[in-house]
Amino acid sequence: MPLPAKPKKLIIAIDGPAGAGKSTVAKLLALQMKFLYIDTGAMYRALTLKAIRKGINFSQGRQLTGLAKKTRIDLENKPDGTIRVLLDREDVSLDIRKPNISKFVSDTAKVPGVRKEMLMRQRELGSKVSCVLDGRDIGTAVFPDADKKFFLDADLKERVRRRHKELKENGQDVSLEDVQKDLCNRDTIDSSRKCAPLKQAKDAIYIDTTKMTIEGTVKVLLEHIKLSTQRGAV
Ligand code: CDP
Protein backbone atom coordinates (compact mmCIF):
# COMPACT_ATOMS: atom_id res chain seq x y z
CA MET A 1 0.00 0.00 0.00
CA PRO A 2 1.43 3.41 -0.91
CA LEU A 3 2.38 5.62 2.00
CA PRO A 4 0.10 8.64 2.52
CA ALA A 5 1.59 11.74 0.91
CA LYS A 6 3.78 13.68 3.32
CA PRO A 7 2.28 17.13 3.94
CA LYS A 8 4.27 19.77 2.12
CA LYS A 9 6.39 22.15 4.19
CA LEU A 10 4.89 25.63 3.78
CA ILE A 11 6.36 29.10 4.17
CA ILE A 12 3.94 31.97 4.80
CA ALA A 13 5.40 35.48 4.49
CA ILE A 14 3.74 38.52 6.08
CA ASP A 15 5.24 41.94 5.44
CA GLY A 16 4.07 45.49 6.03
CA PRO A 17 4.71 48.74 7.88
CA ALA A 18 4.94 49.17 11.65
CA GLY A 19 1.72 48.71 13.59
CA ALA A 20 -0.28 47.07 10.79
CA GLY A 21 -0.96 44.09 13.04
CA LYS A 22 1.53 41.73 11.41
CA SER A 23 2.97 40.11 14.51
CA THR A 24 -0.36 39.55 16.28
CA VAL A 25 -1.88 38.10 13.12
CA ALA A 26 1.22 36.03 12.28
CA LYS A 27 1.36 34.61 15.81
CA LEU A 28 -2.31 33.56 15.76
CA LEU A 29 -2.07 32.16 12.25
CA ALA A 30 0.98 30.09 13.20
CA LEU A 31 -0.78 28.84 16.33
CA GLN A 32 -3.88 27.78 14.36
CA MET A 33 -1.88 26.10 11.61
CA LYS A 34 0.57 24.55 14.11
CA PHE A 35 3.43 26.22 12.26
CA LEU A 36 6.55 27.79 13.74
CA TYR A 37 6.29 31.58 14.15
CA ILE A 38 9.40 33.57 13.32
CA ASP A 39 9.32 37.21 14.44
CA THR A 40 12.17 38.61 12.33
CA GLY A 41 11.72 42.12 13.78
CA ALA A 42 12.54 40.72 17.23
CA MET A 43 15.96 39.70 15.91
CA TYR A 44 16.78 43.27 14.82
CA ARG A 45 15.38 44.58 18.09
CA ALA A 46 17.52 42.20 20.19
CA LEU A 47 20.65 43.23 18.30
CA THR A 48 19.76 46.90 18.82
CA LEU A 49 19.47 46.32 22.57
CA LYS A 50 22.94 44.79 22.64
CA ALA A 51 24.37 47.68 20.59
CA ILE A 52 22.90 50.20 23.05
CA ARG A 53 24.31 48.31 26.01
CA LYS A 54 27.74 48.28 24.37
CA GLY A 55 27.53 51.97 23.52
CA ILE A 56 27.96 51.38 19.79
CA ASN A 57 27.30 54.39 17.59
CA PHE A 58 24.50 53.60 15.15
CA SER A 59 26.39 55.20 12.27
CA GLN A 60 29.09 52.53 12.63
CA GLY A 61 27.83 49.89 10.20
CA ARG A 62 30.98 47.77 10.45
CA GLN A 63 30.77 47.56 14.22
CA LEU A 64 27.09 46.65 14.04
CA THR A 65 27.88 43.93 11.48
CA GLY A 66 30.66 42.57 13.68
CA LEU A 67 28.30 42.55 16.64
CA ALA A 68 25.59 40.75 14.63
CA LYS A 69 28.03 37.97 13.69
CA LYS A 70 28.94 37.19 17.27
CA THR A 71 25.52 37.57 18.85
CA ARG A 72 23.29 34.64 19.67
CA ILE A 73 19.56 35.28 19.23
CA ASP A 74 16.97 32.59 19.92
CA LEU A 75 13.24 32.80 19.32
CA GLU A 76 11.23 30.32 21.37
CA ASN A 77 7.60 29.51 20.56
CA LYS A 78 5.70 28.78 23.76
CA PRO A 79 2.64 26.48 23.81
CA ASP A 80 0.30 29.43 24.59
CA GLY A 81 1.35 31.14 21.36
CA THR A 82 3.59 33.76 22.93
CA ILE A 83 7.26 33.95 22.07
CA ARG A 84 10.40 34.37 24.13
CA VAL A 85 13.33 36.28 22.70
CA LEU A 86 16.73 35.33 24.07
CA LEU A 87 19.76 37.52 23.55
CA ASP A 88 22.91 35.53 24.32
CA ARG A 89 20.59 33.28 26.38
CA GLU A 90 19.10 36.20 28.39
CA ASP A 91 15.32 36.70 28.18
CA VAL A 92 14.85 40.16 26.65
CA SER A 93 11.25 39.67 25.43
CA LEU A 94 9.98 42.78 27.22
CA ASP A 95 13.07 45.00 26.95
CA ILE A 96 13.13 44.89 23.15
CA ARG A 97 9.65 46.46 22.91
CA LYS A 98 10.67 49.64 24.75
CA PRO A 99 10.69 53.02 22.96
CA ASN A 100 14.48 53.42 23.05
CA ILE A 101 14.84 50.22 21.02
CA SER A 102 12.13 51.27 18.55
CA LYS A 103 13.96 54.57 18.14
CA PHE A 104 17.19 52.97 16.87
CA VAL A 105 16.13 49.61 15.43
CA SER A 106 15.74 50.90 11.87
CA ASP A 107 19.31 52.24 11.98
CA THR A 108 20.53 48.76 12.88
CA ALA A 109 18.32 47.16 10.24
CA LYS A 110 19.53 49.35 7.37
CA VAL A 111 23.11 48.08 7.62
CA PRO A 112 23.69 45.62 4.73
CA GLY A 113 26.09 43.42 6.77
CA VAL A 114 23.55 43.12 9.57
CA ARG A 115 20.80 42.21 7.10
CA LYS A 116 23.01 39.59 5.42
CA GLU A 117 23.63 37.90 8.77
CA MET A 118 19.95 37.99 9.79
CA LEU A 119 18.76 36.75 6.39
CA MET A 120 21.05 33.71 6.66
CA ARG A 121 19.70 32.91 10.11
CA GLN A 122 16.08 33.43 9.08
CA ARG A 123 16.50 31.11 6.08
CA GLU A 124 18.10 28.50 8.30
CA LEU A 125 15.23 28.75 10.83
CA GLY A 126 12.65 28.47 8.07
CA SER A 127 14.36 25.59 6.28
CA LYS A 128 13.25 22.82 8.62
CA VAL A 129 9.55 23.11 9.33
CA SER A 130 6.45 24.90 8.07
CA CYS A 131 6.47 28.45 9.36
CA VAL A 132 4.94 31.91 9.35
CA LEU A 133 7.46 34.75 9.20
CA ASP A 134 6.68 38.43 9.61
CA GLY A 135 8.85 41.40 8.81
CA ARG A 136 9.65 43.87 6.04
CA ASP A 137 11.53 41.82 3.44
CA ILE A 138 10.28 38.27 3.89
CA GLY A 139 8.44 38.00 0.57
CA THR A 140 11.00 40.06 -1.35
CA ALA A 141 14.38 38.92 0.01
CA VAL A 142 14.34 36.25 2.72
CA PHE A 143 11.88 33.84 1.10
CA PRO A 144 11.08 35.18 -2.41
CA ASP A 145 9.66 31.70 -3.18
CA ALA A 146 7.34 31.64 -0.13
CA ASP A 147 4.20 29.58 -0.72
CA LYS A 148 1.91 32.46 0.24
CA LYS A 149 2.73 36.14 0.70
CA PHE A 150 0.67 38.82 2.39
CA PHE A 151 1.22 42.54 2.73
CA LEU A 152 -0.69 43.95 5.71
CA ASP A 153 -1.36 47.65 5.83
CA ALA A 154 -3.60 50.13 7.72
CA ASP A 155 -4.12 53.89 7.89
CA LEU A 156 -1.43 55.70 9.86
CA LYS A 157 -3.96 56.94 12.44
CA GLU A 158 -5.18 53.40 13.12
CA ARG A 159 -1.66 51.98 13.27
CA VAL A 160 -0.72 54.67 15.82
CA ARG A 161 -3.85 53.94 17.86
CA ARG A 162 -3.11 50.20 17.96
CA ARG A 163 0.56 50.57 18.88
CA HIS A 164 -0.26 53.17 21.56
CA LYS A 165 -2.85 50.82 23.12
CA GLU A 166 -0.41 47.91 23.04
CA LEU A 167 2.35 49.92 24.73
CA LYS A 168 -0.04 51.25 27.38
CA GLU A 169 -1.22 47.71 28.10
CA ASN A 170 2.40 46.76 28.66
CA GLY A 171 2.77 49.54 31.23
CA GLN A 172 4.65 52.00 29.02
CA ASP A 173 3.79 55.64 29.39
CA VAL A 174 3.98 57.06 25.86
CA SER A 175 1.98 59.76 24.10
CA LEU A 176 0.13 59.30 20.82
CA GLU A 177 2.41 61.96 19.30
CA ASP A 178 5.55 60.03 20.23
CA VAL A 179 4.14 56.78 18.86
CA GLN A 180 3.25 58.50 15.59
CA LYS A 181 6.74 60.01 15.35
CA ASP A 182 8.31 56.58 15.91
CA LEU A 183 6.16 54.79 13.32
CA CYS A 184 6.69 57.50 10.68
CA ASN A 185 10.42 57.64 11.31
CA ARG A 186 10.80 53.86 11.00
CA ASP A 187 8.54 53.61 7.94
CA THR A 188 10.66 56.26 6.20
CA ILE A 189 13.99 54.59 7.00
CA ASP A 190 12.66 51.06 6.29
CA SER A 191 11.16 52.02 2.91
CA SER A 192 14.05 54.13 1.68
CA ARG A 193 17.05 52.03 2.65
CA LYS A 194 19.08 50.56 -0.23
CA CYS A 195 19.24 47.00 1.09
CA ALA A 196 15.96 45.04 1.07
CA PRO A 197 13.62 48.00 1.65
CA LEU A 198 10.07 47.56 2.88
CA LYS A 199 7.92 47.03 -0.20
CA GLN A 200 5.14 44.78 -1.32
CA ALA A 201 6.28 41.72 -3.27
CA LYS A 202 4.62 41.57 -6.72
CA ASP A 203 2.88 38.31 -5.85
CA ALA A 204 1.80 39.32 -2.33
CA ILE A 205 -1.86 39.74 -1.42
CA TYR A 206 -2.47 43.28 -0.16
CA ILE A 207 -4.81 43.53 2.84
CA ASP A 208 -5.92 46.83 4.34
CA THR A 209 -6.69 45.97 7.98
CA THR A 210 -7.83 49.47 9.03
CA LYS A 211 -11.42 48.36 9.61
CA MET A 212 -10.71 44.71 10.32
CA THR A 213 -10.41 42.88 13.63
CA ILE A 214 -7.44 40.64 14.39
CA GLU A 215 -9.64 37.53 14.24
CA GLY A 216 -11.19 38.73 10.98
CA THR A 217 -7.76 39.27 9.44
CA VAL A 218 -6.53 35.83 10.51
CA LYS A 219 -9.67 34.32 8.97
CA VAL A 220 -9.05 36.05 5.64
CA LEU A 221 -5.45 34.84 5.54
CA LEU A 222 -6.53 31.29 6.43
CA GLU A 223 -9.11 31.34 3.62
CA HIS A 224 -6.50 32.45 1.06
CA ILE A 225 -4.13 29.71 2.22
CA LYS A 226 -6.90 27.09 2.17
CA LEU A 227 -7.96 28.11 -1.34
CA SER A 228 -4.40 27.88 -2.65
CA THR A 229 -3.93 24.49 -1.00
CA GLN A 230 -7.19 23.16 -2.51
CA ARG A 231 -6.18 24.43 -5.94
CA GLY A 232 -2.84 22.75 -5.50
CA ALA A 233 -1.24 26.14 -6.01
CA VAL A 234 0.99 25.67 -2.98
O1 CDP B 1 6.31 45.38 15.35
P1 CDP B 1 6.79 46.53 14.51
O2 CDP B 1 6.06 46.63 13.23
O3 CDP B 1 6.90 47.80 15.25
O4 CDP B 1 8.28 46.25 14.11
P2 CDP B 1 9.12 44.93 14.18
O5 CDP B 1 8.55 43.87 13.29
O6 CDP B 1 9.40 44.59 15.58
O7 CDP B 1 10.47 45.41 13.47
C1 CDP B 1 11.28 46.41 14.04
C2 CDP B 1 12.18 46.99 12.98
O8 CDP B 1 13.07 45.98 12.51
C3 CDP B 1 11.51 47.53 11.72
O9 CDP B 1 11.08 48.86 11.85
C4 CDP B 1 12.63 47.40 10.69
O10 CDP B 1 13.54 48.47 10.78
C5 CDP B 1 13.36 46.16 11.14
N1 CDP B 1 12.99 44.95 10.39
C6 CDP B 1 13.54 44.78 9.14
O11 CDP B 1 14.25 45.64 8.64
N2 CDP B 1 13.30 43.62 8.45
C7 CDP B 1 12.52 42.67 8.96
N3 CDP B 1 12.34 41.54 8.26
C8 CDP B 1 11.91 42.85 10.21
C9 CDP B 1 12.15 44.01 10.90
Side-chain angles (χ1 to χ4, degrees), residues 65-92:
T65 302
L67 191 71
K69 288 185 179 154
K70 55 179 193 239
T71 296
R72 178 171 177 152
I73 300 169
D74 296 293
L75 305 175
E76 283 181 7
N77 279 217
K78 300 214 284 180
D80 64 355
T82 57
I83 63 152
R84 233 160 59 106
V85 183
L86 304 176
L87 170 64
D88 297 323
R89 296 203 165 82
E90 173 196 347
D91 187 346
V92 293

mmCIF file of all heavy atoms in Angstrom, residues 65-92:
data_model
loop_
_atom_site.group_PDB
_atom_site.id
_atom_site.type_symbol
_atom_site.label_atom_id
_atom_site.label_comp_id
_atom_site.label_asym_id
_atom_site.label_seq_id
_atom_site.Cartn_x
_atom_site.Cartn_y
_atom_site.Cartn_z
ATOM 1 N N THR A 65 27.771 45.217 12.190
ATOM 2 C CA THR A 65 27.876 43.933 11.477
ATOM 3 C C THR A 65 28.690 42.946 12.298
ATOM 4 O O THR A 65 28.312 41.778 12.452
ATOM 5 C CB THR A 65 28.530 44.148 10.093
ATOM 6 O OG1 THR A 65 27.729 45.080 9.369
ATOM 7 C CG2 THR A 65 28.629 42.851 9.311
ATOM 8 N N GLY A 66 29.809 43.431 12.848
ATOM 9 C CA GLY A 66 30.661 42.570 13.681
ATOM 10 C C GLY A 66 29.881 42.050 14.882
ATOM 11 O O GLY A 66 29.955 40.866 15.227
ATOM 12 N N LEU A 67 29.097 42.928 15.470
ATOM 13 C CA LEU A 67 28.300 42.547 16.641
ATOM 14 C C LEU A 67 27.259 41.484 16.242
ATOM 15 O O LEU A 67 27.057 40.502 16.958
ATOM 16 C CB LEU A 67 27.597 43.788 17.205
ATOM 17 C CG LEU A 67 26.933 43.630 18.561
ATOM 18 C CD1 LEU A 67 28.004 43.496 19.656
ATOM 19 C CD2 LEU A 67 26.031 44.824 18.888
ATOM 20 N N ALA A 68 26.628 41.693 15.089
ATOM 21 C CA ALA A 68 25.594 40.746 14.626
ATOM 22 C C ALA A 68 26.185 39.341 14.487
ATOM 23 O O ALA A 68 25.575 38.352 14.888
ATOM 24 C CB ALA A 68 25.013 41.209 13.295
ATOM 25 N N LYS A 69 27.415 39.282 13.936
ATOM 26 C CA LYS A 69 28.028 37.968 13.690
ATOM 27 C C LYS A 69 28.307 37.203 14.973
ATOM 28 O O LYS A 69 28.291 35.987 14.984
ATOM 29 C CB LYS A 69 29.328 38.144 12.905
ATOM 30 C CG LYS A 69 29.075 38.533 11.453
ATOM 31 C CD LYS A 69 30.347 38.573 10.674
ATOM 32 C CE LYS A 69 30.028 38.930 9.225
ATOM 33 N NZ LYS A 69 31.153 39.566 8.556
ATOM 34 N N LYS A 70 28.602 37.944 16.051
ATOM 35 C CA LYS A 70 28.943 37.195 17.267
ATOM 36 C C LYS A 70 27.831 37.233 18.324
ATOM 37 O O LYS A 70 28.082 36.995 19.498
ATOM 38 C CB LYS A 70 30.280 37.661 17.836
ATOM 39 C CG LYS A 70 30.379 39.132 18.122
ATOM 40 C CD LYS A 70 31.763 39.434 18.695
ATOM 41 C CE LYS A 70 31.761 40.815 19.278
ATOM 42 N NZ LYS A 70 32.688 41.723 18.726
ATOM 43 N N THR A 71 26.617 37.512 17.896
ATOM 44 C CA THR A 71 25.516 37.568 18.854
ATOM 45 C C THR A 71 24.563 36.395 18.661
ATOM 46 O O THR A 71 24.155 36.108 17.531
ATOM 47 C CB THR A 71 24.751 38.901 18.692
ATOM 48 O OG1 THR A 71 25.636 39.963 19.014
ATOM 49 C CG2 THR A 71 23.543 38.970 19.618
ATOM 50 N N ARG A 72 24.237 35.760 19.758
ATOM 51 C CA ARG A 72 23.294 34.645 19.673
ATOM 52 C C ARG A 72 21.875 35.172 19.929
ATOM 53 O O ARG A 72 21.638 35.864 20.926
ATOM 54 C CB ARG A 72 23.675 33.595 20.718
ATOM 55 C CG ARG A 72 22.718 32.459 20.721
ATOM 56 C CD ARG A 72 23.167 31.314 21.568
ATOM 57 N NE ARG A 72 22.097 30.332 21.505
ATOM 58 C CZ ARG A 72 22.258 29.047 21.648
ATOM 59 N NH1 ARG A 72 23.441 28.563 21.893
ATOM 60 N NH2 ARG A 72 21.224 28.231 21.576
ATOM 61 N N ILE A 73 20.963 34.867 19.028
ATOM 62 C CA ILE A 73 19.562 35.281 19.231
ATOM 63 C C ILE A 73 18.679 34.047 19.029
ATOM 64 O O ILE A 73 18.759 33.388 17.988
ATOM 65 C CB ILE A 73 19.150 36.400 18.243
ATOM 66 C CG1 ILE A 73 20.032 37.642 18.434
ATOM 67 C CG2 ILE A 73 17.675 36.782 18.437
ATOM 68 C CD1 ILE A 73 19.891 38.704 17.362
ATOM 69 N N ASP A 74 17.881 33.725 20.041
ATOM 70 C CA ASP A 74 16.970 32.588 19.924
ATOM 71 C C ASP A 74 15.538 33.062 20.056
ATOM 72 O O ASP A 74 15.237 33.916 20.902
ATOM 73 C CB ASP A 74 17.252 31.555 21.028
ATOM 74 C CG ASP A 74 18.631 30.946 20.888
ATOM 75 O OD1 ASP A 74 18.866 30.228 19.901
ATOM 76 O OD2 ASP A 74 19.486 31.229 21.755
ATOM 77 N N LEU A 75 14.668 32.496 19.233
ATOM 78 C CA LEU A 75 13.237 32.800 19.322
ATOM 79 C C LEU A 75 12.543 31.511 19.730
ATOM 80 O O LEU A 75 12.616 30.519 19.018
ATOM 81 C CB LEU A 75 12.694 33.257 17.958
ATOM 82 C CG LEU A 75 13.397 34.447 17.288
ATOM 83 C CD1 LEU A 75 12.819 34.689 15.905
ATOM 84 C CD2 LEU A 75 13.255 35.706 18.132
ATOM 85 N N GLU A 76 11.907 31.536 20.893
ATOM 86 C CA GLU A 76 11.232 30.316 21.366
ATOM 87 C C GLU A 76 9.722 30.471 21.251
ATOM 88 O O GLU A 76 9.159 31.443 21.756
ATOM 89 C CB GLU A 76 11.562 30.084 22.845
ATOM 90 C CG GLU A 76 12.937 29.525 23.089
ATOM 91 C CD GLU A 76 13.178 29.292 24.584
ATOM 92 O OE1 GLU A 76 12.240 29.438 25.399
ATOM 93 O OE2 GLU A 76 14.325 28.989 24.916
ATOM 94 N N ASN A 77 9.069 29.518 20.625
ATOM 95 C CA ASN A 77 7.597 29.511 20.561
ATOM 96 C C ASN A 77 7.085 28.786 21.794
ATOM 97 O O ASN A 77 7.447 27.637 22.030
ATOM 98 C CB ASN A 77 7.121 28.754 19.320
ATOM 99 C CG ASN A 77 7.170 29.596 18.048
ATOM 100 O OD1 ASN A 77 6.315 29.506 17.187
ATOM 101 N ND2 ASN A 77 8.187 30.425 17.907
ATOM 102 N N LYS A 78 6.250 29.461 22.585
ATOM 103 C CA LYS A 78 5.703 28.783 23.765
ATOM 104 C C LYS A 78 4.333 28.193 23.417
ATOM 105 O O LYS A 78 3.669 28.656 22.479
ATOM 106 C CB LYS A 78 5.600 29.773 24.922
ATOM 107 C CG LYS A 78 6.976 30.336 25.272
ATOM 108 C CD LYS A 78 7.164 30.620 26.714
ATOM 109 C CE LYS A 78 6.458 31.864 27.141
ATOM 110 N NZ LYS A 78 6.635 32.163 28.549
ATOM 111 N N PRO A 79 3.895 27.156 24.163
ATOM 112 C CA PRO A 79 2.639 26.484 23.812
ATOM 113 C C PRO A 79 1.421 27.421 23.788
ATOM 114 O O PRO A 79 0.463 27.178 23.057
ATOM 115 C CB PRO A 79 2.475 25.424 24.906
ATOM 116 C CG PRO A 79 3.823 25.268 25.515
ATOM 117 C CD PRO A 79 4.565 26.534 25.315
ATOM 118 N N ASP A 80 1.455 28.523 24.572
ATOM 119 C CA ASP A 80 0.298 29.434 24.588
ATOM 120 C C ASP A 80 0.341 30.424 23.421
ATOM 121 O O ASP A 80 -0.486 31.330 23.334
ATOM 122 C CB ASP A 80 0.232 30.184 25.923
ATOM 123 C CG ASP A 80 1.435 31.101 26.129
ATOM 124 O OD1 ASP A 80 2.354 31.072 25.293
ATOM 125 O OD2 ASP A 80 1.431 31.850 27.126
ATOM 126 N N GLY A 81 1.301 30.281 22.550
ATOM 127 C CA GLY A 81 1.347 31.139 21.361
ATOM 128 C C GLY A 81 2.229 32.361 21.526
ATOM 129 O O GLY A 81 2.487 33.077 20.567
ATOM 130 N N THR A 82 2.694 32.616 22.758
ATOM 131 C CA THR A 82 3.592 33.763 22.931
ATOM 132 C C THR A 82 5.018 33.333 22.557
ATOM 133 O O THR A 82 5.296 32.142 22.425
ATOM 134 C CB THR A 82 3.583 34.279 24.391
ATOM 135 O OG1 THR A 82 3.944 33.187 25.252
ATOM 136 C CG2 THR A 82 2.213 34.807 24.778
ATOM 137 N N ILE A 83 5.882 34.331 22.375
ATOM 138 C CA ILE A 83 7.263 33.954 22.071
ATOM 139 C C ILE A 83 8.220 34.551 23.095
ATOM 140 O O ILE A 83 7.932 35.568 23.709
ATOM 141 C CB ILE A 83 7.713 34.364 20.651
ATOM 142 C CG1 ILE A 83 7.690 35.884 20.470
ATOM 143 C CG2 ILE A 83 6.938 33.678 19.571
ATOM 144 C CD1 ILE A 83 8.700 36.344 19.438
ATOM 145 N N ARG A 84 9.356 33.883 23.238
ATOM 146 C CA ARG A 84 10.396 34.372 24.131
ATOM 147 C C ARG A 84 11.605 34.693 23.268
ATOM 148 O O ARG A 84 11.983 33.894 22.397
ATOM 149 C CB ARG A 84 10.765 33.274 25.133
ATOM 150 C CG ARG A 84 10.682 33.739 26.584
ATOM 151 C CD ARG A 84 10.558 32.568 27.522
ATOM 152 N NE ARG A 84 11.679 31.648 27.407
ATOM 153 C CZ ARG A 84 12.654 31.545 28.311
ATOM 154 N NH1 ARG A 84 12.680 32.308 29.374
ATOM 155 N NH2 ARG A 84 13.623 30.647 28.162
ATOM 156 N N VAL A 85 12.159 35.876 23.487
ATOM 157 C CA VAL A 85 13.327 36.284 22.703
ATOM 158 C C VAL A 85 14.542 36.264 23.621
ATOM 159 O O VAL A 85 14.557 36.910 24.667
ATOM 160 C CB VAL A 85 13.122 37.707 22.129
ATOM 161 C CG1 VAL A 85 14.305 38.104 21.259
ATOM 162 C CG2 VAL A 85 11.812 37.785 21.352
ATOM 163 N N LEU A 86 15.533 35.463 23.241
ATOM 164 C CA LEU A 86 16.727 35.327 24.074
ATOM 165 C C LEU A 86 17.925 35.953 23.370
ATOM 166 O O LEU A 86 18.229 35.615 22.218
ATOM 167 C CB LEU A 86 17.004 33.845 24.364
ATOM 168 C CG LEU A 86 15.863 33.055 25.014
ATOM 169 C CD1 LEU A 86 16.240 31.582 25.158
ATOM 170 C CD2 LEU A 86 15.511 33.620 26.389
ATOM 171 N N LEU A 87 18.566 36.872 24.075
ATOM 172 C CA LEU A 87 19.761 37.525 23.553
ATOM 173 C C LEU A 87 20.945 36.961 24.326
ATOM 174 O O LEU A 87 21.047 37.180 25.538
ATOM 175 C CB LEU A 87 19.639 39.049 23.767
ATOM 176 C CG LEU A 87 20.875 39.905 23.518
ATOM 177 C CD1 LEU A 87 21.314 39.851 22.057
ATOM 178 C CD2 LEU A 87 20.605 41.357 23.928
ATOM 179 N N ASP A 88 21.808 36.227 23.636
ATOM 180 C CA ASP A 88 22.914 35.533 24.317
ATOM 181 C C ASP A 88 22.382 34.797 25.556
ATOM 182 O O ASP A 88 22.926 34.910 26.646
ATOM 183 C CB ASP A 88 24.027 36.520 24.701
ATOM 184 C CG ASP A 88 24.653 37.163 23.463
ATOM 185 O OD1 ASP A 88 24.795 36.470 22.435
ATOM 186 O OD2 ASP A 88 24.960 38.362 23.509
ATOM 187 N N ARG A 89 21.289 34.120 25.376
ATOM 188 C CA ARG A 89 20.590 33.280 26.376
ATOM 189 C C ARG A 89 19.822 34.065 27.453
ATOM 190 O O ARG A 89 19.208 33.484 28.332
ATOM 191 C CB ARG A 89 21.551 32.301 27.057
ATOM 192 C CG ARG A 89 22.131 31.292 26.087
ATOM 193 C CD ARG A 89 22.597 30.059 26.839
ATOM 194 N NE ARG A 89 22.817 28.944 25.931
ATOM 195 C CZ ARG A 89 23.921 28.777 25.216
ATOM 196 N NH1 ARG A 89 24.901 29.643 25.306
ATOM 197 N NH2 ARG A 89 24.051 27.734 24.422
ATOM 198 N N GLU A 90 19.842 35.396 27.404
ATOM 199 C CA GLU A 90 19.095 36.199 28.394
ATOM 200 C C GLU A 90 17.715 36.533 27.826
ATOM 201 O O GLU A 90 17.594 36.928 26.660
ATOM 202 C CB GLU A 90 19.876 37.502 28.675
ATOM 203 C CG GLU A 90 19.134 38.490 29.560
ATOM 204 C CD GLU A 90 19.745 39.896 29.493
ATOM 205 O OE1 GLU A 90 20.876 40.056 28.972
ATOM 206 O OE2 GLU A 90 19.061 40.830 29.944
ATOM 207 N N ASP A 91 16.679 36.380 28.640
ATOM 208 C CA ASP A 91 15.324 36.696 28.178
ATOM 209 C C ASP A 91 15.141 38.210 28.081
ATOM 210 O O ASP A 91 15.153 38.910 29.097
ATOM 211 C CB ASP A 91 14.299 36.095 29.164
ATOM 212 C CG ASP A 91 12.867 36.236 28.650
ATOM 213 O OD1 ASP A 91 12.650 37.018 27.688
ATOM 214 O OD2 ASP A 91 11.973 35.569 29.191
ATOM 215 N N VAL A 92 14.995 38.711 26.848
ATOM 216 C CA VAL A 92 14.848 40.164 26.647
ATOM 217 C C VAL A 92 13.491 40.480 25.989
ATOM 218 O O VAL A 92 13.330 41.537 25.390
ATOM 219 C CB VAL A 92 16.009 40.726 25.783
ATOM 220 C CG1 VAL A 92 17.349 40.639 26.518
ATOM 221 C CG2 VAL A 92 16.099 40.012 24.417
#
